[in-house]
Amino acid sequence: MFTLLTERQILVLKAIVEEFIQTAQPVGSRILSKKEELNFSAATIRNDMADLEDLGFIEKTHTSSGRVPSQKGYRYYVDFIVNQEPMETTPEVGIFRQLLDQKQFERETTIKEAVKLLSSLTNYTSILLGPSRDYSRVKKIQLVPISERQAVFVLITDQGHVESRTITLPTNIDMTRMESIIKALDELLVGEYIGHVHEKLTESFEHQLHDFISYKEEIMYAMLQLLTQSLNQQNYILSGKSNILKQPEFNDLDKAYHLFNMIEADEIVKVIEADEDGHQLTVKIGQENEIKAMENCTLITVPYQISDHEFGKIAVLGPTRMEYRKIIPLLEQVARIMSDLYK
């Protein structure tokens, strides 16, 4: 539970947090007394700062007489200041909408571009968890001939994933016969969960695919190659890995090393996957993150809807000195756009 702050103390805390977010420099009463929204004497501001420090909302640094927000101060700022303000549409959302409206890319490509754009606009690391392969269904199977004896075998899922493999036709199958096989496979497997395809194929050679049983080995091999690719494909996108290292908090090489290793090892993905509050926005600040390398970071995660039964997540990793008022509404709006992509 937080101590109730006076209206003036809230204004002072808000000013300290937002000044520090912008400058990364400890904040003193002299700077605060020049702010229009703090129409109080320097002495009054100093007294409020002393009270805020006693209550644990701000703290001293070793190198300056100014004060910086503590983890408790950031938490109060997010929960009782930012989250109490009406959410406004940020200008950046228009750029995402343009990307969606262009419709010149496949959905998977659009999502990758959107995650790259998010990391570029925020200067933080962006992570998107996509649909589980367990929920993917076959949407289309087709064959694209590229020569007399070679063709590209293509598997498309309802989640927009495309897997392809170049195959050389066995000597006992010509292209016309192979196209008949693929057409039969397409009719048989459309709508099946990816994980059930192998079982369905095995059963079907006794019934629907009996005419092609002499090609069973070749068909099963090609299908298993595609299914393995699809099931093993990473279901996340990570962009701007090194962005967070540009922040002054990580000028310390030891901190930077451990944080970058954590990101490189995809530990951040496991953290987001393990988040138990999967269906609502979460903001984990500093030591609220269980991994020590993230103790100077904030991780903001927002769910987006993939289907009636499945949600993905989009997240931003930045310093605790994050632009919360910009990032939280931006992420919520981007999550809505992501949900629209799956409608």
mmCIF file with all atom_site columns, all heavy atoms in Angstrom, residues 107 111 128-132 135 158-159 235 303-313 338-339 341-343:
data_model
loop_
_atom_site.group_PDB
_atom_site.id
_atom_site.type_symbol
_atom_site.label_atom_id
_atom_site.label_alt_id
_atom_site.label_comp_id
_atom_site.label_asym_id
_atom_site.label_entity_id
_atom_site.label_seq_id
_atom_site.pdbx_PDB_ins_code
_atom_site.Cartn_x
_atom_site.Cartn_y
_atom_site.Cartn_z
_atom_site.occupancy
_atom_site.B_iso_or_equiv
_atom_site.pdbx_formal_charge
_atom_site.auth_seq_id
_atom_site.auth_comp_id
_atom_site.auth_asym_id
_atom_site.auth_atom_id
_atom_site.pdbx_PDB_model_num
ATOM 1   N N   . ARG A 1 107 ? 0.637   -10.849 -43.970 1.00 0.00 ? 107 ARG A N   1
ATOM 2   C CA  . ARG A 1 107 ? 0.475   -10.472 -42.558 1.00 0.00 ? 107 ARG A CA  1
ATOM 3   C C   . ARG A 1 107 ? 1.764   -10.651 -41.765 1.00 0.00 ? 107 ARG A C   1
ATOM 4   O O   . ARG A 1 107 ? 2.140   -9.793  -40.973 1.00 0.00 ? 107 ARG A O   1
ATOM 5   C CB  . ARG A 1 107 ? -0.642  -11.320 -41.922 1.00 0.00 ? 107 ARG A CB  1
ATOM 6   C CG  . ARG A 1 107 ? -0.823  -11.022 -40.436 1.00 0.00 ? 107 ARG A CG  1
ATOM 7   C CD  . ARG A 1 107 ? -2.098  -11.636 -39.905 1.00 0.00 ? 107 ARG A CD  1
ATOM 8   N NE  . ARG A 1 107 ? -2.123  -13.076 -40.085 1.00 0.00 ? 107 ARG A NE  1
ATOM 9   C CZ  . ARG A 1 107 ? -3.226  -13.808 -39.978 1.00 0.00 ? 107 ARG A CZ  1
ATOM 10  N NH1 . ARG A 1 107 ? -4.379  -13.221 -39.750 1.00 0.00 ? 107 ARG A NH1 1
ATOM 11  N NH2 . ARG A 1 107 ? -3.183  -15.119 -40.121 1.00 0.00 ? 107 ARG A NH2 1
ATOM 12  N N   . ILE A 1 111 ? 3.713   -7.688  -39.687 1.00 0.00 ? 111 ILE A N   1
ATOM 13  C CA  . ILE A 1 111 ? 3.990   -7.752  -38.249 1.00 0.00 ? 111 ILE A CA  1
ATOM 14  C C   . ILE A 1 111 ? 5.470   -7.520  -37.979 1.00 0.00 ? 111 ILE A C   1
ATOM 15  O O   . ILE A 1 111 ? 5.842   -6.770  -37.070 1.00 0.00 ? 111 ILE A O   1
ATOM 16  C CB  . ILE A 1 111 ? 3.515   -9.104  -37.675 1.00 0.00 ? 111 ILE A CB  1
ATOM 17  C CG1 . ILE A 1 111 ? 1.976   -9.141  -37.674 1.00 0.00 ? 111 ILE A CG1 1
ATOM 18  C CG2 . ILE A 1 111 ? 4.059   -9.330  -36.278 1.00 0.00 ? 111 ILE A CG2 1
ATOM 19  C CD1 . ILE A 1 111 ? 1.390   -10.487 -37.338 1.00 0.00 ? 111 ILE A CD1 1
ATOM 20  N N   . LEU A 1 128 ? 7.726   -9.216  -29.831 1.00 0.00 ? 128 LEU A N   1
ATOM 21  C CA  . LEU A 1 128 ? 6.362   -9.662  -30.094 1.00 0.00 ? 128 LEU A CA  1
ATOM 22  C C   . LEU A 1 128 ? 6.300   -11.175 -30.027 1.00 0.00 ? 128 LEU A C   1
ATOM 23  O O   . LEU A 1 128 ? 7.106   -11.851 -30.665 1.00 0.00 ? 128 LEU A O   1
ATOM 24  C CB  . LEU A 1 128 ? 5.880   -9.179  -31.462 1.00 0.00 ? 128 LEU A CB  1
ATOM 25  C CG  . LEU A 1 128 ? 4.461   -9.621  -31.818 1.00 0.00 ? 128 LEU A CG  1
ATOM 26  C CD1 . LEU A 1 128 ? 3.637   -8.456  -32.373 1.00 0.00 ? 128 LEU A CD1 1
ATOM 27  C CD2 . LEU A 1 128 ? 4.466   -10.772 -32.827 1.00 0.00 ? 128 LEU A CD2 1
ATOM 28  N N   . LEU A 1 129 ? 5.391   -11.687 -29.207 1.00 0.00 ? 129 LEU A N   1
ATOM 29  C CA  . LEU A 1 129 ? 5.125   -13.123 -29.180 1.00 0.00 ? 129 LEU A CA  1
ATOM 30  C C   . LEU A 1 129 ? 3.932   -13.394 -30.077 1.00 0.00 ? 129 LEU A C   1
ATOM 31  O O   . LEU A 1 129 ? 2.859   -12.819 -29.872 1.00 0.00 ? 129 LEU A O   1
ATOM 32  C CB  . LEU A 1 129 ? 4.815   -13.602 -27.755 1.00 0.00 ? 129 LEU A CB  1
ATOM 33  C CG  . LEU A 1 129 ? 5.908   -13.437 -26.705 1.00 0.00 ? 129 LEU A CG  1
ATOM 34  C CD1 . LEU A 1 129 ? 5.518   -14.183 -25.436 1.00 0.00 ? 129 LEU A CD1 1
ATOM 35  C CD2 . LEU A 1 129 ? 7.252   -13.932 -27.202 1.00 0.00 ? 129 LEU A CD2 1
ATOM 36  N N   . GLY A 1 130 ? 4.120   -14.258 -31.065 1.00 0.00 ? 130 GLY A N   1
ATOM 37  C CA  . GLY A 1 130 ? 3.067   -14.556 -32.027 1.00 0.00 ? 130 GLY A CA  1
ATOM 38  C C   . GLY A 1 130 ? 2.267   -15.770 -31.634 1.00 0.00 ? 130 GLY A C   1
ATOM 39  O O   . GLY A 1 130 ? 2.396   -16.289 -30.519 1.00 0.00 ? 130 GLY A O   1
ATOM 40  N N   . PRO A 1 131 ? 1.451   -16.244 -32.551 1.00 0.00 ? 131 PRO A N   1
ATOM 41  C CA  . PRO A 1 131 ? 0.596   -17.400 -32.255 1.00 0.00 ? 131 PRO A CA  1
ATOM 42  C C   . PRO A 1 131 ? 1.396   -18.672 -32.056 1.00 0.00 ? 131 PRO A C   1
ATOM 43  O O   . PRO A 1 131 ? 2.414   -18.885 -32.705 1.00 0.00 ? 131 PRO A O   1
ATOM 44  C CB  . PRO A 1 131 ? -0.297  -17.509 -33.492 1.00 0.00 ? 131 PRO A CB  1
ATOM 45  C CG  . PRO A 1 131 ? 0.441   -16.787 -34.571 1.00 0.00 ? 131 PRO A CG  1
ATOM 46  C CD  . PRO A 1 131 ? 1.223   -15.707 -33.893 1.00 0.00 ? 131 PRO A CD  1
ATOM 47  N N   . SER A 1 132 ? 0.927   -19.489 -31.152 1.00 0.00 ? 132 SER A N   1
ATOM 48  C CA  . SER A 1 132 ? 1.547   -20.792 -30.937 1.00 0.00 ? 132 SER A CA  1
ATOM 49  C C   . SER A 1 132 ? 1.312   -21.662 -32.160 1.00 0.00 ? 132 SER A C   1
ATOM 50  O O   . SER A 1 132 ? 0.240   -21.635 -32.756 1.00 0.00 ? 132 SER A O   1
ATOM 51  C CB  . SER A 1 132 ? 0.930   -21.457 -29.700 1.00 0.00 ? 132 SER A CB  1
ATOM 52  O OG  . SER A 1 132 ? 1.260   -22.824 -29.670 1.00 0.00 ? 132 SER A OG  1
ATOM 53  N N   . TYR A 1 135 ? -1.806  -23.920 -32.416 1.00 0.00 ? 135 TYR A N   1
ATOM 54  C CA  . TYR A 1 135 ? -3.119  -23.434 -32.842 1.00 0.00 ? 135 TYR A CA  1
ATOM 55  C C   . TYR A 1 135 ? -3.187  -23.173 -34.345 1.00 0.00 ? 135 TYR A C   1
ATOM 56  O O   . TYR A 1 135 ? -4.220  -22.746 -34.847 1.00 0.00 ? 135 TYR A O   1
ATOM 57  C CB  . TYR A 1 135 ? -3.479  -22.150 -32.090 1.00 0.00 ? 135 TYR A CB  1
ATOM 58  C CG  . TYR A 1 135 ? -3.765  -22.367 -30.624 1.00 0.00 ? 135 TYR A CG  1
ATOM 59  C CD1 . TYR A 1 135 ? -2.760  -22.221 -29.677 1.00 0.00 ? 135 TYR A CD1 1
ATOM 60  C CD2 . TYR A 1 135 ? -5.038  -22.730 -30.193 1.00 0.00 ? 135 TYR A CD2 1
ATOM 61  C CE1 . TYR A 1 135 ? -3.025  -22.417 -28.330 1.00 0.00 ? 135 TYR A CE1 1
ATOM 62  C CE2 . TYR A 1 135 ? -5.309  -22.930 -28.846 1.00 0.00 ? 135 TYR A CE2 1
ATOM 63  C CZ  . TYR A 1 135 ? -4.289  -22.768 -27.918 1.00 0.00 ? 135 TYR A CZ  1
ATOM 64  O OH  . TYR A 1 135 ? -4.549  -22.969 -26.582 1.00 0.00 ? 135 TYR A OH  1
ATOM 65  N N   . ASP A 1 158 ? -3.238  -20.734 -41.409 1.00 0.00 ? 158 ASP A N   1
ATOM 66  C CA  . ASP A 1 158 ? -4.240  -19.680 -41.215 1.00 0.00 ? 158 ASP A CA  1
ATOM 67  C C   . ASP A 1 158 ? -3.687  -18.498 -40.431 1.00 0.00 ? 158 ASP A C   1
ATOM 68  O O   . ASP A 1 158 ? -4.316  -17.448 -40.356 1.00 0.00 ? 158 ASP A O   1
ATOM 69  C CB  . ASP A 1 158 ? -5.483  -20.235 -40.508 1.00 0.00 ? 158 ASP A CB  1
ATOM 70  C CG  . ASP A 1 158 ? -5.182  -20.755 -39.112 1.00 0.00 ? 158 ASP A CG  1
ATOM 71  O OD1 . ASP A 1 158 ? -4.004  -21.044 -38.807 1.00 0.00 ? 158 ASP A OD1 1
ATOM 72  O OD2 . ASP A 1 158 ? -6.120  -20.870 -38.301 1.00 0.00 ? 158 ASP A OD2 1
ATOM 73  N N   . GLN A 1 159 ? -2.499  -18.657 -39.837 1.00 0.00 ? 159 GLN A N   1
ATOM 74  C CA  . GLN A 1 159 ? -1.877  -17.551 -39.104 1.00 0.00 ? 159 GLN A CA  1
ATOM 75  C C   . GLN A 1 159 ? -0.970  -16.724 -40.014 1.00 0.00 ? 159 GLN A C   1
ATOM 76  O O   . GLN A 1 159 ? -0.296  -15.801 -39.554 1.00 0.00 ? 159 GLN A O   1
ATOM 77  C CB  . GLN A 1 159 ? -1.049  -18.087 -37.919 1.00 0.00 ? 159 GLN A CB  1
ATOM 78  C CG  . GLN A 1 159 ? -1.827  -18.976 -36.951 1.00 0.00 ? 159 GLN A CG  1
ATOM 79  C CD  . GLN A 1 159 ? -2.883  -18.218 -36.169 1.00 0.00 ? 159 GLN A CD  1
ATOM 80  O OE1 . GLN A 1 159 ? -3.071  -17.026 -36.366 1.00 0.00 ? 159 GLN A OE1 1
ATOM 81  N NE2 . GLN A 1 159 ? -3.584  -18.911 -35.285 1.00 0.00 ? 159 GLN A NE2 1
ATOM 82  N N   . ASN A 1 235 ? 8.296   -18.404 -32.627 1.00 0.00 ? 235 ASN A N   1
ATOM 83  C CA  . ASN A 1 235 ? 7.026   -17.692 -32.684 1.00 0.00 ? 235 ASN A CA  1
ATOM 84  C C   . ASN A 1 235 ? 7.145   -16.304 -32.066 1.00 0.00 ? 235 ASN A C   1
ATOM 85  O O   . ASN A 1 235 ? 6.197   -15.767 -31.519 1.00 0.00 ? 235 ASN A O   1
ATOM 86  C CB  . ASN A 1 235 ? 5.925   -18.499 -31.976 1.00 0.00 ? 235 ASN A CB  1
ATOM 87  C CG  . ASN A 1 235 ? 6.091   -18.490 -30.464 1.00 0.00 ? 235 ASN A CG  1
ATOM 88  O OD1 . ASN A 1 235 ? 7.215   -18.446 -29.957 1.00 0.00 ? 235 ASN A OD1 1
ATOM 89  N ND2 . ASN A 1 235 ? 4.992   -18.514 -29.739 1.00 0.00 ? 235 ASN A ND2 1
ATOM 90  N N   . PRO A 1 303 ? -1.256  -7.488  -24.178 1.00 0.00 ? 303 PRO A N   1
ATOM 91  C CA  . PRO A 1 303 ? -1.757  -8.598  -25.012 1.00 0.00 ? 303 PRO A CA  1
ATOM 92  C C   . PRO A 1 303 ? -2.482  -8.084  -26.247 1.00 0.00 ? 303 PRO A C   1
ATOM 93  O O   . PRO A 1 303 ? -2.994  -6.962  -26.263 1.00 0.00 ? 303 PRO A O   1
ATOM 94  C CB  . PRO A 1 303 ? -2.731  -9.315  -24.075 1.00 0.00 ? 303 PRO A CB  1
ATOM 95  C CG  . PRO A 1 303 ? -3.242  -8.237  -23.181 1.00 0.00 ? 303 PRO A CG  1
ATOM 96  C CD  . PRO A 1 303 ? -2.113  -7.255  -23.008 1.00 0.00 ? 303 PRO A CD  1
ATOM 97  N N   . TYR A 1 304 ? -2.508  -8.914  -27.282 1.00 0.00 ? 304 TYR A N   1
ATOM 98  C CA  . TYR A 1 304 ? -3.359  -8.637  -28.440 1.00 0.00 ? 304 TYR A CA  1
ATOM 99  C C   . TYR A 1 304 ? -4.049  -9.945  -28.818 1.00 0.00 ? 304 TYR A C   1
ATOM 100 O O   . TYR A 1 304 ? -3.543  -11.029 -28.542 1.00 0.00 ? 304 TYR A O   1
ATOM 101 C CB  . TYR A 1 304 ? -2.556  -8.068  -29.619 1.00 0.00 ? 304 TYR A CB  1
ATOM 102 C CG  . TYR A 1 304 ? -1.542  -9.005  -30.221 1.00 0.00 ? 304 TYR A CG  1
ATOM 103 C CD1 . TYR A 1 304 ? -1.854  -9.797  -31.322 1.00 0.00 ? 304 TYR A CD1 1
ATOM 104 C CD2 . TYR A 1 304 ? -0.254  -9.111  -29.694 1.00 0.00 ? 304 TYR A CD2 1
ATOM 105 C CE1 . TYR A 1 304 ? -0.923  -10.657 -31.881 1.00 0.00 ? 304 TYR A CE1 1
ATOM 106 C CE2 . TYR A 1 304 ? 0.684   -9.978  -30.235 1.00 0.00 ? 304 TYR A CE2 1
ATOM 107 C CZ  . TYR A 1 304 ? 0.343   -10.749 -31.326 1.00 0.00 ? 304 TYR A CZ  1
ATOM 108 O OH  . TYR A 1 304 ? 1.256   -11.620 -31.866 1.00 0.00 ? 304 TYR A OH  1
ATOM 109 N N   . GLN A 1 305 ? -5.225  -9.842  -29.433 1.00 0.00 ? 305 GLN A N   1
ATOM 110 C CA  . GLN A 1 305 ? -6.041  -11.034 -29.681 1.00 0.00 ? 305 GLN A CA  1
ATOM 111 C C   . GLN A 1 305 ? -5.750  -11.640 -31.047 1.00 0.00 ? 305 GLN A C   1
ATOM 112 O O   . GLN A 1 305 ? -5.788  -10.953 -32.058 1.00 0.00 ? 305 GLN A O   1
ATOM 113 C CB  . GLN A 1 305 ? -7.525  -10.692 -29.568 1.00 0.00 ? 305 GLN A CB  1
ATOM 114 C CG  . GLN A 1 305 ? -8.400  -11.925 -29.563 1.00 0.00 ? 305 GLN A CG  1
ATOM 115 C CD  . GLN A 1 305 ? -9.742  -11.698 -28.899 1.00 0.00 ? 305 GLN A CD  1
ATOM 116 O OE1 . GLN A 1 305 ? -10.123 -10.572 -28.640 1.00 0.00 ? 305 GLN A OE1 1
ATOM 117 N NE2 . GLN A 1 305 ? -10.470 -12.772 -28.619 1.00 0.00 ? 305 GLN A NE2 1
ATOM 118 N N   . ILE A 1 306 ? -5.450  -12.937 -31.039 1.00 0.00 ? 306 ILE A N   1
ATOM 119 C CA  . ILE A 1 306 ? -5.180  -13.670 -32.268 1.00 0.00 ? 306 ILE A CA  1
ATOM 120 C C   . ILE A 1 306 ? -6.431  -14.410 -32.726 1.00 0.00 ? 306 ILE A C   1
ATOM 121 O O   . ILE A 1 306 ? -6.771  -14.426 -33.902 1.00 0.00 ? 306 ILE A O   1
ATOM 122 C CB  . ILE A 1 306 ? -4.018  -14.665 -32.049 1.00 0.00 ? 306 ILE A CB  1
ATOM 123 C CG1 . ILE A 1 306 ? -2.711  -13.888 -31.815 1.00 0.00 ? 306 ILE A CG1 1
ATOM 124 C CG2 . ILE A 1 306 ? -3.870  -15.615 -33.226 1.00 0.00 ? 306 ILE A CG2 1
ATOM 125 C CD1 . ILE A 1 306 ? -1.568  -14.733 -31.306 1.00 0.00 ? 306 ILE A CD1 1
ATOM 126 N N   . SER A 1 307 ? -7.129  -15.025 -31.768 1.00 0.00 ? 307 SER A N   1
ATOM 127 C CA  . SER A 1 307 ? -8.369  -15.751 -32.071 1.00 0.00 ? 307 SER A CA  1
ATOM 128 C C   . SER A 1 307 ? -9.212  -15.738 -30.805 1.00 0.00 ? 307 SER A C   1
ATOM 129 O O   . SER A 1 307 ? -8.835  -15.145 -29.794 1.00 0.00 ? 307 SER A O   1
ATOM 130 C CB  . SER A 1 307 ? -8.059  -17.193 -32.489 1.00 0.00 ? 307 SER A CB  1
ATOM 131 O OG  . SER A 1 307 ? -7.527  -17.914 -31.382 1.00 0.00 ? 307 SER A OG  1
ATOM 132 N N   . ASP A 1 308 ? -10.350 -16.422 -30.854 1.00 0.00 ? 308 ASP A N   1
ATOM 133 C CA  . ASP A 1 308 ? -11.214 -16.474 -29.671 1.00 0.00 ? 308 ASP A CA  1
ATOM 134 C C   . ASP A 1 308 ? -10.506 -17.087 -28.475 1.00 0.00 ? 308 ASP A C   1
ATOM 135 O O   . ASP A 1 308 ? -10.823 -16.772 -27.330 1.00 0.00 ? 308 ASP A O   1
ATOM 136 C CB  . ASP A 1 308 ? -12.473 -17.299 -29.973 1.00 0.00 ? 308 ASP A CB  1
ATOM 137 C CG  . ASP A 1 308 ? -13.403 -16.595 -30.954 1.00 0.00 ? 308 ASP A CG  1
ATOM 138 O OD1 . ASP A 1 308 ? -13.229 -15.371 -31.145 1.00 0.00 ? 308 ASP A OD1 1
ATOM 139 O OD2 . ASP A 1 308 ? -14.271 -17.269 -31.541 1.00 0.00 ? 308 ASP A OD2 1
ATOM 140 N N   . HIS A 1 309 ? -9.542  -17.957 -28.747 1.00 0.00 ? 309 HIS A N   1
ATOM 141 C CA  . HIS A 1 309 ? -8.912  -18.715 -27.660 1.00 0.00 ? 309 HIS A CA  1
ATOM 142 C C   . HIS A 1 309 ? -7.436  -18.372 -27.447 1.00 0.00 ? 309 HIS A C   1
ATOM 143 O O   . HIS A 1 309 ? -6.814  -18.932 -26.550 1.00 0.00 ? 309 HIS A O   1
ATOM 144 C CB  . HIS A 1 309 ? -9.016  -20.222 -27.939 1.00 0.00 ? 309 HIS A CB  1
ATOM 145 C CG  . HIS A 1 309 ? -10.407 -20.665 -28.259 1.00 0.00 ? 309 HIS A CG  1
ATOM 146 N ND1 . HIS A 1 309 ? -11.415 -20.659 -27.326 1.00 0.00 ? 309 HIS A ND1 1
ATOM 147 C CD2 . HIS A 1 309 ? -10.972 -21.104 -29.417 1.00 0.00 ? 309 HIS A CD2 1
ATOM 148 C CE1 . HIS A 1 309 ? -12.541 -21.091 -27.885 1.00 0.00 ? 309 HIS A CE1 1
ATOM 149 N NE2 . HIS A 1 309 ? -12.295 -21.363 -29.152 1.00 0.00 ? 309 HIS A NE2 1
ATOM 150 N N   . GLU A 1 310 ? -6.889  -17.491 -28.242 1.00 0.00 ? 310 GLU A N   1
ATOM 151 C CA  . GLU A 1 310 ? -5.438  -17.266 -28.149 1.00 0.00 ? 310 GLU A CA  1
ATOM 152 C C   . GLU A 1 310 ? -5.083  -15.786 -28.197 1.00 0.00 ? 310 GLU A C   1
ATOM 153 O O   . GLU A 1 310 ? -5.679  -15.008 -28.945 1.00 0.00 ? 310 GLU A O   1
ATOM 154 C CB  . GLU A 1 310 ? -4.728  -18.004 -29.288 1.00 0.00 ? 310 GLU A CB  1
ATOM 155 C CG  . GLU A 1 310 ? -3.205  -17.979 -29.118 1.00 0.00 ? 310 GLU A CG  1
ATOM 156 C CD  . GLU A 1 310 ? -2.482  -18.765 -30.189 1.00 0.00 ? 310 GLU A CD  1
ATOM 157 O OE1 . GLU A 1 310 ? -3.088  -19.101 -31.215 1.00 0.00 ? 310 GLU A OE1 1
ATOM 158 O OE2 . GLU A 1 310 ? -1.286  -19.022 -29.999 1.00 0.00 ? 310 GLU A OE2 1
ATOM 159 N N   . PHE A 1 311 ? -4.111  -15.444 -27.378 1.00 0.00 ? 311 PHE A N   1
ATOM 160 C CA  . PHE A 1 311 ? -3.592  -14.079 -27.328 1.00 0.00 ? 311 PHE A CA  1
ATOM 161 C C   . PHE A 1 311 ? -2.083  -14.104 -27.553 1.00 0.00 ? 311 PHE A C   1
ATOM 162 O O   . PHE A 1 311 ? -1.395  -15.005 -27.095 1.00 0.00 ? 311 PHE A O   1
ATOM 163 C CB  . PHE A 1 311 ? -3.874  -13.437 -25.965 1.00 0.00 ? 311 PHE A CB  1
ATOM 164 C CG  . PHE A 1 311 ? -5.324  -13.097 -25.748 1.00 0.00 ? 311 PHE A CG  1
ATOM 165 C CD1 . PHE A 1 311 ? -6.220  -14.070 -25.341 1.00 0.00 ? 311 PHE A CD1 1
ATOM 166 C CD2 . PHE A 1 311 ? -5.790  -11.813 -25.977 1.00 0.00 ? 311 PHE A CD2 1
ATOM 167 C CE1 . PHE A 1 311 ? -7.559  -13.770 -25.150 1.00 0.00 ? 311 PHE A CE1 1
ATOM 168 C CE2 . PHE A 1 311 ? -7.128  -11.499 -25.790 1.00 0.00 ? 311 PHE A CE2 1
ATOM 169 C CZ  . PHE A 1 311 ? -8.019  -12.485 -25.380 1.00 0.00 ? 311 PHE A CZ  1
ATOM 170 N N   . GLY A 1 312 ? -1.594  -13.108 -28.261 1.00 0.00 ? 312 GLY A N   1
ATOM 171 C CA  . GLY A 1 312 ? -0.160  -12.871 -28.350 1.00 0.00 ? 312 GLY A CA  1
ATOM 172 C C   . GLY A 1 312 ? 0.195   -11.740 -27.395 1.00 0.00 ? 312 GLY A C   1
ATOM 173 O O   . GLY A 1 312 ? -0.663  -11.209 -26.682 1.00 0.00 ? 312 GLY A O   1
ATOM 174 N N   . LYS A 1 313 ? 1.463   -11.363 -27.372 1.00 0.00 ? 313 LYS A N   1
ATOM 175 C CA  . LYS A 1 313 ? 1.905   -10.267 -26.509 1.00 0.00 ? 313 LYS A CA  1
ATOM 176 C C   . LYS A 1 313 ? 2.890   -9.402  -27.268 1.00 0.00 ? 313 LYS A C   1
ATOM 177 O O   . LYS A 1 313 ? 3.705   -9.911  -28.044 1.00 0.00 ? 313 LYS A O   1
ATOM 178 C CB  . LYS A 1 313 ? 2.582   -10.804 -25.235 1.00 0.00 ? 313 LYS A CB  1
ATOM 179 C CG  . LYS A 1 313 ? 1.675   -11.619 -24.331 1.00 0.00 ? 313 LYS A CG  1
ATOM 180 C CD  . LYS A 1 313 ? 2.461   -12.173 -23.155 1.00 0.00 ? 313 LYS A CD  1
ATOM 181 C CE  . LYS A 1 313 ? 1.604   -13.089 -22.302 1.00 0.00 ? 313 LYS A CE  1
ATOM 182 N NZ  . LYS A 1 313 ? 2.383   -13.698 -21.188 1.00 0.00 ? 313 LYS A NZ  1
ATOM 183 N N   . MET A 1 338 ? -2.565  -4.847  -33.998 1.00 0.00 ? 338 MET A N   1
ATOM 184 C CA  . MET A 1 338 ? -2.182  -6.248  -34.179 1.00 0.00 ? 338 MET A CA  1
ATOM 185 C C   . MET A 1 338 ? -3.411  -7.159  -34.155 1.00 0.00 ? 338 MET A C   1
ATOM 186 O O   . MET A 1 338 ? -3.532  -8.094  -34.958 1.00 0.00 ? 338 MET A O   1
ATOM 187 C CB  . MET A 1 338 ? -1.208  -6.680  -33.069 1.00 0.00 ? 338 MET A CB  1
ATOM 188 C CG  . MET A 1 338 ? 0.157   -6.058  -33.175 1.00 0.00 ? 338 MET A CG  1
ATOM 189 S SD  . MET A 1 338 ? 1.000   -6.560  -34.680 1.00 0.00 ? 338 MET A SD  1
ATOM 190 C CE  . MET A 1 338 ? 2.425   -5.497  -34.620 1.00 0.00 ? 338 MET A CE  1
ATOM 191 N N   . SER A 1 339 ? -4.332  -6.888  -33.225 1.00 0.00 ? 339 SER A N   1
ATOM 192 C CA  . SER A 1 339 ? -5.564  -7.687  -33.147 1.00 0.00 ? 339 SER A CA  1
ATOM 193 C C   . SER A 1 339 ? -6.347  -7.560  -34.450 1.00 0.00 ? 339 SER A C   1
ATOM 194 O O   . SER A 1 339 ? -6.913  -8.543  -34.958 1.00 0.00 ? 339 SER A O   1
ATOM 195 C CB  . SER A 1 339 ? -6.427  -7.224  -31.968 1.00 0.00 ? 339 SER A CB  1
ATOM 196 O OG  . SER A 1 339 ? -5.759  -7.425  -30.740 1.00 0.00 ? 339 SER A OG  1
ATOM 197 N N   . LEU A 1 341 ? -5.197  -7.181  -37.376 1.00 0.00 ? 341 LEU A N   1
ATOM 198 C CA  . LEU A 1 341 ? -4.545  -7.967  -38.426 1.00 0.00 ? 341 LEU A CA  1
ATOM 199 C C   . LEU A 1 341 ? -5.045  -9.410  -38.452 1.00 0.00 ? 341 LEU A C   1
ATOM 200 O O   . LEU A 1 341 ? -4.974  -10.074 -39.486 1.00 0.00 ? 341 LEU A O   1
ATOM 201 C CB  . LEU A 1 341 ? -3.025  -7.970  -38.220 1.00 0.00 ? 341 LEU A CB  1
ATOM 202 C CG  . LEU A 1 341 ? -2.235  -6.769  -38.731 1.00 0.00 ? 341 LEU A CG  1
ATOM 203 C CD1 . LEU A 1 341 ? -0.788  -6.855  -38.282 1.00 0.00 ? 341 LEU A CD1 1
ATOM 204 C CD2 . LEU A 1 341 ? -2.299  -6.688  -40.252 1.00 0.00 ? 341 LEU A CD2 1
ATOM 205 N N   . TYR A 1 342 ? -5.515  -9.904  -37.297 1.00 0.00 ? 342 TYR A N   1
ATOM 206 C CA  . TYR A 1 342 ? -5.948  -11.310 -37.216 1.00 0.00 ? 342 TYR A CA  1
ATOM 207 C C   . TYR A 1 342 ? -7.450  -11.467 -37.395 1.00 0.00 ? 342 TYR A C   1
ATOM 208 O O   . TYR A 1 342 ? -7.967  -12.573 -37.284 1.00 0.00 ? 342 TYR A O   1
ATOM 209 C CB  . TYR A 1 342 ? -5.508  -11.904 -35.867 1.00 0.00 ? 342 TYR A CB  1
ATOM 210 C CG  . TYR A 1 342 ? -4.041  -12.270 -35.863 1.00 0.00 ? 342 TYR A CG  1
ATOM 211 C CD1 . TYR A 1 342 ? -3.082  -11.377 -35.393 1.00 0.00 ? 342 TYR A CD1 1
ATOM 212 C CD2 . TYR A 1 342 ? -3.612  -13.494 -36.362 1.00 0.00 ? 342 TYR A CD2 1
ATOM 213 C CE1 . TYR A 1 342 ? -1.731  -11.688 -35.411 1.00 0.00 ? 342 TYR A CE1 1
ATOM 214 C CE2 . TYR A 1 342 ? -2.265  -13.821 -36.371 1.00 0.00 ? 342 TYR A CE2 1
ATOM 215 C CZ  . TYR A 1 342 ? -1.337  -12.925 -35.894 1.00 0.00 ? 342 TYR A CZ  1
ATOM 216 O OH  . TYR A 1 342 ? -0.009  -13.256 -35.901 1.00 0.00 ? 342 TYR A OH  1
ATOM 217 N N   . LYS A 1 343 ? -8.154  -10.367 -37.645 1.00 0.00 ? 343 LYS A N   1
ATOM 218 C CA  . LYS A 1 343 ? -9.615  -10.465 -37.833 1.00 0.00 ? 343 LYS A CA  1
ATOM 219 C C   . LYS A 1 343 ? -9.947  -10.964 -39.237 1.00 0.00 ? 343 LYS A C   1
ATOM 220 O O   . LYS A 1 343 ? -9.229  -10.697 -40.175 1.00 0.00 ? 343 LYS A O   1
ATOM 221 C CB  . LYS A 1 343 ? -10.261 -9.102  -37.583 1.00 0.00 ? 343 LYS A CB  1
ATOM 222 C CG  . LYS A 1 343 ? -10.310 -8.757  -36.101 1.00 0.00 ? 343 LYS A CG  1
ATOM 223 C CD  . LYS A 1 343 ? -10.982 -7.409  -35.879 1.00 0.00 ? 343 LYS A CD  1
ATOM 224 C CE  . LYS A 1 343 ? -11.047 -7.073  -34.391 1.00 0.00 ? 343 LYS A CE  1
ATOM 225 N NZ  . LYS A 1 343 ? -11.591 -5.726  -34.127 1.00 0.00 ? 343 LYS A NZ  1
#
